[in-house]
Amino acid sequence: MTERTFSILKPDATRRNITGKINAVIEEAGLRIVAQRRVHLTDAQAKKFYEVHAERPFYGELVAQMTAEPVVVQVLEAEGAVAKYREVMGATNPDNAAEGTIRKLFALSIGENSVHGSDSLENAGIEIAQFFKDEDIVG
Ligand code: ADP
Ligand code: MG
């Protein structure tokens, strides 16, 4: 089934000017970038986006990192896009990420790990709606 997932190229990626390199890995994996926008997340946006992690010890650091520099928000489309993108991203901790994954190639640390990707189809829908109108997604 053709699915859409939500992606963020995180501040460590925009800061190092490697968003094109990451997009090349995404496209080579067969995911199509059907919407994309560069934004500087507000504190409120980042807190809401990562609400599920509010009780975790790294929440404050995560929100600070995500608002420090611009990000690129994206919608990716493919057969089984949610699981496919999680595979292309690699494990949260780059030390555990498989060869060739975005996080193995580019992540600096478990916190500054270059990309976000939705963890379920349901969350993908919720996350996409936080950043994109239907008419701005062109598949
Ligand atoms: P993922 O991004 O792989 O879905 P999580 O949803 O568990 O991972 O965590 C969200 C984000 O929070 C991670 O991508 C990472 O930036 C940050 N994070 C997760 N665990 C830690 C940790 N132990 N220390 C610092 N930051 C973390
Ligand atoms: Mg997650």
Side-chain angles (χ1 to χ4, degrees):
M1 195 184 75
T2 300
E3 289 176 359
R4 288 175 174 173
T5 192
F6 180 70
S7 164
I8 303 180
L9 310 186
K10 292 184 176 183
D12 70 272
T14 60
R15 188 174 73 235
R16 289 178 289 156
N17 206 25
I18 58 169
T19 61
K21 285 184 179 164
I22 295 173
N23 278 347
V25 178
I26 289 170
E27 292 184 337
E28 275 158 26
L31 290 149
R32 304 182 75 84
I33 302 166
V34 295
Q36 178 169 254
R37 188 157 48 89
R38 186 171 168 109
V39 291
H40 200 138
L41 294 180
T42 63
D43 187 64
Q45 277 177 312
K47 280 183 172 152
K48 180 171 154 55
F49 186 76
Y50 280 118
E51 213 165 35
V52 295
H53 296 303
E55 302 307 318
R56 310 282 287 280
F58 56 81
Y59 181 66
E61 181 192 329
L62 178 60
V63 169
Q65 279 172 357
M66 291 300 290
T67 56
E69 304 273 346
V71 300
V72 176
V73 291
Q74 305 176 312
V75 180
L76 308 180
E77 190 175 84
E79 291 280 308
V82 173
K84 185 190 274 269
Y85 189 44
R86 293 296 302 193
E87 210 175 296
V88 172
M89 286 164 57
T92 308
N93 185 342
D95 292 343
N96 303 329
E99 289 299 328
T101 61
I102 292 168
R103 284 166 166 172
K104 180 67 172 189
L105 288 166
F106 302 114
L108 299 176
S109 65
I110 190 170
E112 291 194 297
N113 57 4
S114 307
V115 281
H116 164 86
S118 306
D119 60 8
S120 68
L121 195 55
E122 189 191 354
N123 282 338
I126 293 167
E127 293 173 358
I128 289 168
Q130 278 179 42
F131 291 96
F132 292 99
K133 293 185 224 152
D134 280 349
E135 63 260 39
D136 293 330
I137 306 169
V138 184

